[in-house]
Amino acid sequence: MRVVIADDAVLLREGLVRLVEENGHTVVAAVGDGPSLVEAVKQHRPDVSIVDVRMPPSHTDEGLRAAVEARAAVPGTPILVLSQYVEVSYADDLLADRRGAVGYLLKDRVSLVADFLDGLRRVAEGGTVLDPEVVGQLLVRRRRDDPLRSLTPREREVLGLMAEGMSNTAIARKMVVTEGAVEKHVRNIFTKLNLYQDEEQHRRVLAVLAYLQT
C-alpha cells in the first residue's frame, strides 16, 4: 500500500513511518499539519492516510477537518484517524459522506501491531473500522425512530461487531457460533435494511453506516 502519514508529533510520526515500511508498505509523504495532508493526498492519491485528529495551530480538530477536506478533494480517499480521546462529532464528520473507507481508533488501543495493520488494510479496501468505545458513544445518541428496530438483538450484536471492522470469521469466534450462523445474520441484516443486489463489501459498509448514524 501507498500511505500518507499526518501527525505533528515527530517521534510518533517517525514511528508510524517505520512501522508501515517495515511491514512492506510505502510511505509516500509524512507531514505535520492539515494543509500539508490535503496537498499530499491530492498529489499522491494514496491507498490510505493515517491522520492525527489534533494538529497545529490550535491542536483541536485541524487533522479531522483536513481529513474531511481531503475526502472532498479526492472523493472517498481512505482515512484512518488516530485520536487520544473519543470525539463523537469527529466520527460523525468522517461518516457523513457515507462512502466508507474510514477508521477511527484511539491511540492507547493501537498496541497490537497486527490489529493496527489489519485495520489499516480494511480501511484501504473500503471498510469502516471504529474503536469499540467510539461505537458505544455513537449508539448512545440513537433516535427513537430507529431504522434498525426490525433487527433482532442477535443481529444488532453482529452489526455492532461489523462496525468494529470484524470479519465474519472473527465475529463467529467472538460470539462462539459457526461462521454459517454469522453469514445468515448478515444476510438478514442486509434484507431488513433493504440493501439488495450490490457488492457485499459495499453493502457491509452501508449497513455499518446505517447503524452508526441513527
Side-chain angles (χ1 to χ4, degrees), residues 38-207:
V38 176
E39 288 305 312
V41 168
K42 290 195 293 187
Q43 177 181 348
H44 297 288
R45 306 292 173 115
D47 297 308
V48 63
S49 298
I50 304 170
V51 182
D52 184 22
V53 165
R54 300 185 176 189
M55 289 198 289
S58 70
H59 293 278
T60 54
D61 64 349
E62 280 85 357
L64 184 281
R65 287 190 281 112
V68 172
E69 183 180 344
R71 280 173 69 86
V74 181
T77 188
I79 299 284
L80 175 60
V81 167
L82 299 180
S83 179
Q84 198 69 40
Y85 310 100
V86 177
E87 297 283 0
V88 175
S89 61
Y90 295 167
D92 276 344
D93 287 342
L94 274 178
L95 294 166
D97 65 11
R98 300 183 64 83
R99 294 177 183 270
V102 295
Y104 189 123
L105 297 177
L106 296 183
K107 288 182 177 179
D108 61 2
R109 302 225 185 194
V110 185
S111 56
L112 296 176
V113 171
D115 289 348
F116 172 71
L117 293 173
D118 181 63
L120 190 65
R121 176 186 58 79
R122 289 177 181 276
V123 171
E125 292 175 351
T128 301
V129 178
L130 299 175
D131 188 280
E133 190 170 341
V134 175
V135 173
Q137 293 204 23
L138 284 168
L139 297 184
V140 166
R141 306 183 313 156
R142 177 168 288 145
R143 299 189 301 266
R144 289 184 179 179
D145 58 338
D146 183 359
L148 308 181
R149 60 189 177 278
S150 63
L151 299 186
T152 66
R154 202 64 162 167
E155 288 163 356
R156 285 174 180 261
E157 183 179 0
V158 169
L159 190 48
L161 295 173
M162 287 167 60
E164 293 177 20
M166 289 191 183
S167 65
N168 288 354
T169 301
I171 292 172
R173 189 179 306 116
K174 175 83 171 180
M175 296 176 64
V176 196
V177 298
T178 66
E179 190 169 347
V182 173
E183 290 172 355
K184 182 178 179 181
H185 287 313
V186 171
R187 287 196 299 271
N188 289 341
I189 291 166
F190 290 159
T191 299
K192 291 179 179 181
L193 295 181
N194 298 315
L195 300 174
Y196 298 109
Q197 297 180 353
D198 200 349
E199 191 270 322
E200 181 169 343
Q201 176 67 13
H202 188 233
R203 287 197 296 174
R204 201 175 181 95
V205 169
L206 291 177

